[in-house]
Amino acid sequence: MKVVPTNTGFGAHVTNLELGNLTEAEVTELRNVWLAHQVLAFPDQPMTHAMLEAFTLRLGEFGHDPYVAPIDGHQNILEVRREPDEKVAPFGSAWHSDWSFQEKPPAATLLHAKEIPPVGGDTWYADGYAAFEALEPQTRDYLCSLTALHSARRPYSHQGFIAGRGPERSMQILPSDSALEVMEHPLVRTHPETQRKVLWINQVYTIGIKGLDADKSNELLKRLLAHSVEERFVYKHRWFTNMLTLWDNRSVQHFAQGGYDGHRRVLHRTIVAGDRPF
Ligand code: SIN
């Protein structure tokens, strides 16, 4: 397998490997490469639904996708789709970690490119290790004592669905009252495999900080969210049809970019189950 790191501090392109035909030793090697680089891109990997499912299962069990209808007959594949004439902001077009409001958010996300516009539609990734490590030691200590509140209410409550023009999407969103629930997670999590610390908040799902009054909580979150996605921590990923990406949802946030009105963009997504953050 050939691994070429990007020039942005994290992320790598991986070639010379057949994803449908990996030995156990190759899966182990790939896992280590993934843990080291956080976002892997595999160009030129045509994949059927069955191949995407089978490759995902080599990495772990499927996670659970709430609030978005899966592909017919494939309950673990979501289709991220935007039509040429669609006017709503792209799905995932704000910084987030997938389903961070779950008790056990996904460890990994896989995204396979089916139809990519000639311009725009990049995915940006932000490195949560680097964001944490760039903070002053005293700030790090303080943040490690805090608990963040996560919720799916902004995009997936009935009210959020309407405010986000959900009914106009080509993707079928399934809003629910369960999106109003709040989950507590450490604001700085320890990655269960690398043991490195991650600044683990995101713009979409982190709604507050436990124990701080609303003004203090909003002010600190605003500052930390801006810090976590500074240009120096961001890798801007350009897609090509048949490219697969695999990212570590425990250490990176991502943001689907627009800029391709008039073109279709379609990708298929699976997730690998994760652990409760600590
Ligand atoms: C997502 O947030 O899951 C979608 C990312 C993308 O479409 O680039």
Side-chain angles (χ1 to χ4, degrees), residues 124-224:
W124 292 4
Y125 296 94
D127 178 353
Y129 294 138
F132 178 74
E133 287 158 13
L135 295 165
E136 294 297 324
Q138 243 181 330
T139 309
R140 285 190 230 161
D141 287 347
Y142 173 58
L143 297 182
C144 285
S145 71
L146 296 178
T147 298
L149 307 173
H150 293 246
S151 164
R153 69 177 48 162
R154 289 189 190 121
Y156 298 119
S157 63
H158 291 284
Q159 200 184 7
F161 173 68
I162 296 301
R165 298 167 62 191
E168 295 170 51
R169 280 190 187 285
S170 52
M171 291 172 64
Q172 193 193 351
I173 307 296
L174 308 168
S176 164
D177 286 343
S178 71
L180 299 173
E181 288 165 14
V182 175
M183 180 60 61
E184 296 184 3
H185 288 311
L187 189 140
V188 175
R189 74 180 288 184
T190 303
H191 192 289
E193 294 186 81
T194 66
Q195 309 307 321
R196 291 175 70 187
K197 292 205 182 304
V198 181
L199 182 58
W200 209 64
I201 48 171
N202 65 83
Q203 182 193 347
V204 175
Y205 301 126
T206 313
I207 58 165
I209 300 175
K210 188 178 175 182
L212 299 191
D213 69 42
D215 284 352
K216 269 208 178 118
S217 163
N218 290 342
E219 190 276 324
L220 180 55
L221 258 187
K222 193 171 157 198
R223 199 152 52 81
L224 291 175

